[in-house]
Amino acid sequence: MNKQLHTDYTVSEEIGRGRFGVVFRCHSAVTGECFALKSIDKRLIQHDADDGHCLRNEAKLLRLVSDHPNVIRVFDVYEDDDCVYIVLEYCGSSDLYQRITARSPFPEKEAHRVMVPLMDAIAHCHRRGVSHRDIKPDNILFNNLNHLKLADFGSAEYFHGGVPLSGVVGTPYYVAPEVVAGRDYNEKVDVWSAGVILYIMLAGAPPFYGDSAKDIFEAVLRANLRFPKSIFGLVSPEAKDLLRKMLCKDVHRRFSAEQVLSE
């Protein structure tokens, strides 16, 4: 592990694991303050050009957007021959996936309390020209003060000048139909993913589902949005209307993050 990193921080136990690396708890050698250390193994992505590009971009894009109170903060970045190490704000509470698993569906007011800071964070990223591209409950963290933090920019990409994004990234339940179809797309894929999260919070189940990734992708492509009365009977017409605008297959008609915030 990087020598300067070990001078600056004391690295302790593993607290998470992903496709390309491990997250550890660490503490500042000067102040003792607790941080999260994301270690990304270069060897695991060296044969994939898209993943390698995302690896090179992650720390840079995080620095561009992490001045927002609902985006995870980045403090230091280190690198050696084997890994990139990103020192991040530590969030000691549960993530949204754990909260949904524990007690969904959410009351509409509680879902609203999650969506406002989430969409504020997404809109901020879009204003800075960054699309997250993997919005899902696992990547929405809460700190010890219960403040929402959008995390894991490993699939994020910079967009500018109307140049479309490309590449199949994301997670089956949450990925937008234009991504599944293999078409070029724009930052509104993040709005679609957030719409799926809102639906799951209100319904306790995803809007598009199947027994396999293939079945899920086919359901996403059909984008047949339904509101069963047995589940949505107590959900307001306004919330259902917002879901229609976020989960709109026609990208031109789909709301932007700013439009969602203005509803």
Side-chain angles (χ1 to χ4, degrees):
M1 197 173 275
N2 185 280
K3 289 182 179 179
Q4 187 59 49
L5 167 62
H6 270 295
T7 300
D8 297 339
Y9 296 92
T10 301
V11 181
S12 53
E13 76 274 17
E14 178 183 326
I15 57 174
R17 183 172 288 265
R19 264 201 313 159
F20 301 121
V22 183
V23 181
F24 300 91
R25 196 192 316 270
C26 70
H27 294 82
S28 167
V30 175
T31 67
E33 185 179 356
C34 185
F35 297 92
L37 174 67
K38 184 173 184 178
S39 169
I40 306 168
D41 192 333
K42 294 179 181 179
R43 294 164 294 184
L44 295 178
I45 53 88
Q46 61 187 355
H47 301 301
D48 191 313
D50 288 338
D51 287 327
H53 176 69
C54 289
L55 165 64
R56 291 188 293 274
N57 267 358
E58 181 172 2
K60 180 175 70 176
L61 295 181
L62 256 177
R63 287 190 185 279
L64 187 62
V65 299
S66 72
D67 57 334
H68 190 278
N70 298 116
V71 176
I72 196 93
R73 287 189 65 192
V74 57
F75 292 92
D76 284 306
V77 179
Y78 303 86
E79 186 172 356
D80 58 26
D81 292 339
D82 297 324
C83 294
V84 173
Y85 308 94
I86 308 175
V87 180
L88 300 160
E89 176 181 5
Y90 175 71
C91 293
S93 189
S94 56
D95 61 39
L96 184 59
Y97 177 82
Q98 293 168 320
R99 296 187 178 196
I100 288 172
T101 302
R103 59 177 303 271
S104 67
F106 287 7
E108 196 169 322
K109 286 184 178 179
E110 187 171 341
H112 183 267
R113 284 196 292 269
V114 172
M115 288 304 295
V116 170
L118 173 60
M119 294 312 304
D120 205 29
I122 293 171
H124 168 76
C125 292
H126 291 177
R127 286 192 295 269
R128 296 287 173 88
V130 175
S131 177
H132 186 283
R133 301 203 300 175
D134 196 19
I135 303 287
K136 60 183 179 180
D138 319 52
N139 291 337
I140 299 167
L141 311 181
F142 297 89
N143 66 14
N144 289 330
L145 297 175
N146 203 36
H147 293 159
L148 182 148
K149 302 284 180 173
L150 180 59
D152 197 345
F153 281 69
S155 297
E157 184 58 281
Y158 185 65
F159 63 90
H160 57 91
V163 178
L165 298 166
S166 62
V168 179
V169 296
T171 303
Y173 284 118
Y174 306 95
V175 69
E178 61 268 27
V179 177
V180 177
R183 301 195 301 269
D184 289 344
Y185 52 87
N186 63 24
E187 72 278 6
K188 286 186 180 180
V189 295
D190 293 338
V191 176
W192 176 280
S193 301
V196 173
I197 291 172
L198 176 57
Y199 188 103
I200 290 173
M201 286 193 292
L202 294 174
F208 315 110
Y209 52 88
D211 294 328
S212 66
K214 180 177 181 291
D215 291 342
I216 295 167
F217 287 145
E218 288 176 354
V220 169
L221 284 171
R222 288 193 297 271
N224 185 12
L225 185 62
R226 295 182 178 181
F227 300 108
K229 287 185 179 180
S230 59
I231 299 173
F232 280 87
L234 298 177
V235 176
S236 70
E238 291 80 10
K240 287 183 278 192
D241 185 55
L242 178 59
L243 281 167
R244 291 186 189 96
K245 292 170 178 173
M246 297 177 75
L247 295 173
C248 179
K249 188 175 181 179
D250 183 343
V251 179
H252 299 292
R253 292 173 51 233
R254 186 184 308 159
F255 264 21
S256 67
E258 296 282 5
Q259 286 174 307
V260 173
L261 283 171
S262 68
E263 280 289 286

